[in-house]
Amino acid sequence: MGQTIESVIKNKLCTGCGTCVSLCPNEALELTLDYEKGIYVPELNKERCIDCSVCYEVCPGSGIDFGGLSKEIFGKKPNNVLIGSYLNCYTGYATDRKIRYNSASGGLVTQLLIFALEAGIIDGALVTRMKTSETLKPEPFIARTKNEIIAASKSKYCPVPANLALSEILEEEGRFAVVGLPCHIQGVRKAERINKKLRERIVLHLGLFCSHASTFWATELFLQRIGVEKKEIVSLDYRGEGWPGFMKILLKDGTTKMLPLPLYWDFLGQDFLIPRRCLMCSDGLNELADLSFGDAWLPEFSNDNLGTSILIARSSAGKRLLENAKSAGKIELNEIPPDKVIQSQLNMLYFKKKNVNSRINLLRQ
């Protein structure tokens, strides 16, 4: 009998990314919400399971061979222990002021996806928006228009099962980009190893820097703390409105609450509100993406109220997209040394890289 996702769940290594659900050849998996923990967990239907081990093989929680995958993807092992394989590092932002202002940090991901779509490089992009029916729940989907891409901009500080939308890529012809956190991109890369169709259809992997996700309880407890009832919320954006941005809550009575990032981020980042699996992750800079993006937390941008991204070009496809978008006047781009990337994410990298083995050993007890 082959290994299944059940062993990953038992060992509390599931990221809730949704890769296994999309890749299961017999539809034996369903992603369910664990209300007690505030995270997504796959549920196996043993009657439908054929013990093929696909779910285990594509799962980022079952283990990541960064050296092997890096060599397969980029043709070399990581050339920097802190940031992984790279060709060039940059700061940049979208030249469209509206996109830049309304994104998390500079609007580069949104602008690059729009450029790739309009240039015919992709036919769609796997992205995530917040549901209109359940305002605190995310909804991964394939965006096929500029407006749909814009609707998916801004960060989502909650569990995101982005790779559920891989099933749609498997069902339809075309070329696609995927946008995700490190665990999402890891799942995609592992899935591409065993699924030729997915490997051929996904032409761009855009990765977001990530210190951790937050459980659904994090947002709900914060809302209780500020006196906002969940049932009164029309929409909630975690970022946007300039940089470093605001949590924007639109209520049914027509009022809007604007809460600056520092006010809520520390609360959402408390250890007991972080999924256990996040505490075992060593990949903060999305080392398997073609392009990796994050906030430019650098002194020279301390007065930047519009937003600027730090980004890492890891593959020739990613670097070519940047160069073409810059030539078309869609983005501003300035090359920086890799040390600047490390400086901008120093605290997160220290947490992710320096003491990861100690955390894993502690959590195993």
Side-chain angles (χ1 to χ4, degrees):
M1 293 179 64
Q3 287 184 290
T4 71
I5 200 73
E6 282 191 316
S7 63
V8 176
I9 297 168
K10 182 180 178 181
N11 291 316
K12 301 177 181 178
L13 296 173
C14 176
T15 69
C17 66
T19 312
C20 59
V21 178
S22 287
L23 271 292
C24 178
N26 215 41
E27 298 183 355
L29 286 160
E30 180 182 2
L31 203 65
T32 60
L33 179 59
D34 184 326
Y35 286 95
E36 182 179 337
K37 296 178 181 177
I39 57 174
Y40 289 112
V41 179
E43 186 175 303
L44 179 66
N45 183 332
K46 293 184 179 181
E47 293 183 0
R48 295 189 64 90
C49 179
I50 57 175
D51 291 315
C52 64
S53 294
V54 167
C55 60
Y56 186 83
E57 291 176 30
V58 302
C59 175
S62 67
I64 300 293
D65 174 15
F66 282 102
L69 278 167
S70 183
K71 197 166 184 179
E72 288 178 25
I73 298 164
F74 308 119
K76 61 183 179 182
K77 290 190 175 182
N79 50 340
N80 187 298
V81 68
L82 290 179
I83 66 175
S85 297
Y86 73 94
L87 298 176
N88 295 93
C89 303
Y90 308 88
T91 58
Y93 54 84
T95 54
D96 185 316
R97 184 184 175 92
K98 187 175 181 180
I99 289 176
R100 184 182 179 188
Y101 184 78
N102 288 316
S103 299
S105 57
L108 274 185
V109 174
T110 300
Q111 185 62 78
L112 287 170
L113 289 176
I114 293 170
F115 173 76
L117 185 68
E118 294 179 343
I121 299 169
I122 60 172
D123 300 298
L126 191 165
V127 291
T128 302
R129 63 192 169 198
M130 301 305 285
K131 291 183 178 181
T132 54
S133 56
E134 298 177 89
T135 54
L136 301 185
K137 299 284 179 62
E139 178 183 31
F141 72 107
I142 305 300
R144 300 178 185 277
T145 68
K146 176 180 178 178
N147 287 338
E148 286 180 339
I149 290 171
I150 291 173
S153 64
K154 310 182 187 73
S155 300
K156 283 80 182 172
Y157 297 136
C158 62
V160 175
N163 289 358
L164 287 178
L166 290 176
S167 59
E168 192 172 341
I169 292 176
L170 286 168
E171 291 171 1
E172 299 187 26
E173 297 284 343
R175 293 169 298 179
F176 300 90
V178 294
V179 180
L181 301 176
C183 53
H184 300 132
I185 300 300
Q186 291 166 13
V188 171
R189 292 297 197 181
K190 291 187 76 174
E192 289 172 343
R193 267 182 161 176
I194 65 171
N195 191 298
K196 182 182 178 183
K197 189 183 292 185
L198 204 62
R199 189 166 63 248
E200 291 174 345
R201 291 180 181 177
I202 298 177
V203 297
L204 287 170
H205 309 72
L206 305 189
L208 310 174
F209 292 1
C210 181
S211 61
H212 64 269
S214 299
T215 66
F216 285 116
W217 280 114
T219 297
E220 294 202 21
L221 288 172
F222 179 75
L223 291 172
Q224 290 178 23
R225 187 179 185 182
I226 63 172
V228 172
E229 292 189 41
K230 184 169 65 171
K231 64 181 182 179
E232 295 302 317
I233 297 174
V234 175
S235 65
L236 184 150
D237 291 328
Y238 287 94
R239 294 286 295 273
E241 305 291 330
W243 191 85
F246 294 82
M247 177 186 283
K248 181 179 180 181
I249 307 170
L250 178 61
L251 300 173
K252 289 180 180 178
D253 64 6
T255 61
T256 300
K257 287 187 176 292
M258 302 284 286
L259 306 165
L261 178 69
L263 182 65
Y264 66 87
W265 178 247
D266 287 345
F267 184 87
L268 267 56
Q270 294 186 63
D271 288 348
F272 75 99
L273 295 173
I274 298 175
R276 178 187 174 96
R277 177 60 177 80
C278 289
L279 298 174
M280 303 183 192
C281 174
S282 64
D283 183 12
L285 301 187
N286 226 311
E287 296 179 26
L288 299 178
D290 293 302
L291 295 168
S292 302
F293 305 80
D295 286 274
W297 296 109
L298 292 167
E300 52 265 45
F301 298 111
S302 59
N303 294 320
D304 175 10
N305 60 6
L306 291 176
T308 298
S309 296
I310 284 270
L311 65 149
I312 305 168
R314 304 187 186 277
S315 72
S316 56
K319 185 177 179 181
R320 186 165 54 249
L321 176 66
L322 291 177
E323 292 171 345
N324 290 341
K326 181 180 180 181
S327 296
K330 301 298 183 180
I331 63 172
E332 286 290 337
L333 208 59
N334 296 290
E335 189 170 346
I336 58 171
D339 287 352
K340 279 289 184 180
V341 177
I342 295 169
Q343 180 187 348
S344 79
Q345 307 294 324
L346 195 58
N347 290 338
M348 184 262 280
L349 285 173
Y350 183 89
F351 176 79
K352 291 284 186 179
K353 299 288 189 180
K354 183 71 174 177
N355 57 5
V356 62
N357 290 329
S358 298
R359 291 199 310 277
I360 290 173
N361 289 332
L362 182 63
L363 290 166
R364 279 176 175 166
Q365 295 178 8

